[in-house]
């Protein structure tokens, strides 16, 4: 891909390493990095011909005049940076979970519309190769009529006073954690695979006393097409996997003609109804970057949109539906009742 887009980036935290790696391989023209961590900024700048480093976001935007900005910081500053970018007519990619609330998300979308700039959300889970393969399988009649899906999230990284401090310490202080920060990925995956959601029922809890938000919970979903879903999340428990943060859990899809199972190593198995033997699904993916190189695939998709006008599947407006589901999950937990979204 040719260097024909000027990109600026804000953020040098833990997850940014996957963004910079993907942008390097996509051969973009990185013109500026904004960070309060000068050492990390220098490290990444060297990978991009010593591009200019800034400590102030607006100064970077005004000085470098990028075509596109990648916002890779926690939600606290999303809306602020989105508004600065939009008023300077710079298109935007914003890291999930995309602002602090659905109210802020709507404000961000409306502001970018008024300033006639595009905004997309970096949501990479649906680009993970196992979900791409599962989506391909579901388009066939292999499983028959679909009954239900369940996902057991068990990364095992949430125990004790030091939970999350090594990678993303702000996790400990998030008032809304399990759903807003992590399950939002699975909401997007569920909608990608099974369509829009009709109703939710949630029971959330906090198991680790050292953090502020919820870190465990069970959420029941009913999709518009009648399929049922369960998200069973617990950040303190683990599951069988070489790297327990690879798929962060296991998925089971059940239908009239069989079942499909995703394990913690990204392996997919199918079993025909009435059989006792599973068959491993053969498919290829690259063990590179984050979770099967999903960040690269996500950014490639975004770049193809901004450069070539290809269809965008993760626009901020589309992502708003995920935040709507999230909002209803928290409401359901508070009210202790099933809530209809539509």
């Amino acid at each position: 891909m040719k260097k024909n887009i000027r990109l600026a980036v804000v953020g040098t935290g833990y997850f940014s390493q996957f963004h910079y790696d993907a942008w390097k391989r996509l051969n973009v023209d990185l013109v500026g990095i904004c960070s309060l961590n000068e050492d990390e900024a220098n490290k990444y700048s060297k990978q991009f011909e010593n591009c200019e480093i800034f400590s102030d976001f607006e100064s970077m935007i005004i000085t470098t005049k990028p075509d596109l900005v990648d916002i890779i910081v926690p939600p606290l500053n999303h809306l602020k940076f989105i508004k600065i970018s939009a008023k300077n007519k710079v298109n935007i990619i914003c890291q999930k979970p995309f602002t602090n609330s659905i109210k802020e998300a709507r404000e961000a979308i409306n502001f970018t519309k008024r300033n006639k700039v595009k905004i997309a959300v970096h949501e990479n889970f649906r680009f993970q190769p196992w979900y791409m393969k599962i989506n391909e399988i579901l388009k066939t009649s292999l499983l028959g009529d679909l009954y239900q899906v369940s996902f057991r999230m068990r990364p095992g990284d949430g125990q004790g006073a030091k939970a999350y401090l090594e990678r993303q310490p702000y996790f400990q202080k998030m008032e809304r954690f399990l759903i807003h920060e992590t399950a939002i990925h699975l909401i997007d995956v569920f909608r990608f695979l099974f369509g829009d959601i009709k109703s939710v029922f949630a029971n959330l809890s906090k198991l680790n006393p050292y953090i502020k938000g919820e870190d465990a919970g069970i959420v029941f979903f009913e999709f518009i097409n009648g399929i049922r879903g369960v998200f069973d999340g617990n950040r303190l428990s683990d599951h069988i996997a070489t790297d327990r943060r690879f798929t962060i859990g296991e998925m089971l899809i059940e239908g009239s003609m069989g079942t499909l199972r995703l394990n913690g190593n990204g392996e997919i198995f199918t079993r025909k109804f009435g059989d006792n033997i599973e068959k491993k699904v053969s498919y290829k993916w690259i063990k590179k970057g984050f979770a099967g190189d999903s960040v690269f695939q996500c950014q490639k998709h975004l770049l193809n949109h901004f450069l070539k006008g290809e269809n965008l599947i993760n626009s901020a407006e589309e992502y708003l539906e995920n935040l709507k589901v999230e909002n209803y999950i928290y409401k359901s937990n508070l009210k202790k009742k099933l809530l209809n979204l539509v």
Side-chain angles (χ1 to χ4, degrees):
M1 199 167 285
K2 295 180 179 179
K3 285 186 180 180
N4 51 1
I5 194 164
R6 291 173 60 82
L7 175 75
V9 177
V10 56
T12 56
Y14 167 77
F15 202 79
S16 70
Q17 61 183 301
F18 304 111
H19 286 242
Y20 287 110
D21 168 67
W23 289 132
K24 181 69 176 177
R25 287 188 279 145
L26 288 164
N27 203 29
V28 299
D29 184 9
L30 187 60
V31 295
I33 295 172
C34 179
S35 175
L36 297 178
N37 188 326
E38 190 174 349
D39 290 339
E40 287 295 299
N42 275 317
K43 180 181 76 174
Y44 290 119
S45 172
K46 290 175 182 176
Q47 298 175 20
F48 292 89
E49 300 177 1
N50 294 310
C51 70
E52 199 167 353
I53 295 169
F54 300 83
S55 59
D56 179 76
F57 181 76
E58 189 159 20
S59 295
M60 176 180 71
I61 296 298
I62 292 171
T63 303
T64 62
K65 295 180 174 57
D67 305 307
L68 180 65
V69 64
D70 187 12
I71 298 172
I72 326 172
V73 296
L76 181 64
N77 287 311
H78 283 182
L79 184 59
K80 174 186 174 182
F81 290 164
I82 287 167
K83 286 186 172 182
I84 291 171
S85 304
K87 75 177 184 180
N88 285 282
K89 308 303 179 186
V90 179
N91 291 320
I92 303 156
I93 301 170
C94 185
Q95 181 63 275
K96 52 64 61 187
F98 188 51
T99 75
N100 294 293
S101 65
I102 193 167
K103 181 181 177 182
E104 280 194 4
R106 287 180 176 136
E107 186 178 349
I109 291 168
N110 290 334
F111 193 87
T112 54
K113 274 186 176 179
R114 287 197 301 271
N115 284 275
K116 298 180 180 179
V117 301
K118 295 179 180 180
I119 179 168
V121 178
H122 179 106
E123 172 54 81
N124 59 68
F125 265 49
R126 68 163 62 190
F127 291 93
Q128 291 176 1
W130 33 94
Y131 293 129
M132 300 299 285
K133 185 62 180 180
I134 290 171
N135 184 50
E136 183 184 313
I137 292 170
L138 293 181
K139 288 179 179 178
T140 72
S141 58
L142 184 68
L143 302 183
D145 297 327
L146 297 182
Y147 295 144
Q148 60 196 52
V149 56
S150 59
F151 187 88
R152 295 177 66 255
M153 178 190 147
R154 298 290 191 272
D157 60 352
Q159 295 187 16
K162 295 183 179 180
Y164 320 117
L165 293 181
E166 185 178 346
R167 294 188 313 272
Q168 290 151 302
Y170 67 93
F171 279 9
Q172 286 203 354
K173 298 177 181 179
M174 293 182 75
E175 291 185 4
R176 291 183 168 189
F177 177 46
L178 179 74
I179 305 301
H180 183 61
E181 201 293 320
T182 313
I184 190 70
H185 287 302
L186 279 306
I187 292 170
D188 187 69
V189 167
F190 275 14
R191 290 184 58 240
F192 170 55
L193 296 176
F194 307 105
D196 282 330
I197 293 164
K198 177 183 176 182
S199 64
V200 297
F201 177 77
N203 189 308
L204 310 177
S205 60
K206 181 172 74 170
L207 300 180
N208 187 341
Y210 294 98
I211 73 168
K212 195 167 188 178
E214 82 286 355
D215 54 8
I218 297 175
V219 183
F220 167 83
F221 298 90
E222 183 182 4
F223 296 86
I224 290 174
N225 56 21
I227 298 170
R228 305 297 179 95
V230 175
F231 168 80
D232 174 3
N234 184 327
R235 291 206 70 139
L236 284 72
S237 295
D238 67 1
H239 65 295
I240 298 171
T242 304
D243 174 1
R244 291 180 174 87
R245 298 185 67 251
F246 191 53
T247 65
I248 70 169
E250 302 164 356
M251 178 178 278
L252 181 69
I253 303 171
E254 299 169 271
S256 61
M257 294 172 60
T259 63
L260 181 149
R261 180 174 64 89
L262 168 71
N263 71 11
N265 293 321
E267 296 172 313
I268 300 170
F269 302 87
T270 59
R271 180 181 62 83
K272 290 183 179 180
F273 181 79
D275 284 357
N276 290 325
I277 299 174
E278 289 185 320
K279 179 182 178 182
K280 187 175 179 179
V281 175
S282 177
Y283 74 109
K284 293 181 180 180
W285 51 273
I286 300 172
K287 195 171 184 180
K288 195 170 187 176
F290 175 75
D293 220 17
S294 56
V295 169
F296 177 86
Q297 294 302 329
C298 177
Q299 291 179 192
K300 182 180 178 182
H301 169 76
L302 291 165
L303 207 55
N304 283 340
H305 169 72
F306 286 110
L307 280 174
K308 304 175 183 179
E310 292 185 7
N311 182 50
L312 180 66
I313 63 173
N314 45 354
S315 69
E317 284 187 278
E318 162 62 23
Y319 201 77
L320 200 59
E321 187 64 25
N322 295 334
L323 296 180
K324 179 182 175 182
V325 174
E326 174 201 304
N327 202 41
Y328 270 84
I329 288 171
Y330 283 112
K331 283 183 180 180
S332 171
N333 179 65
L334 188 65
K335 295 177 180 289
K336 301 301 178 188
K337 63 186 291 187
L338 184 144
L339 296 178
N340 289 316
L341 280 70
V342 293

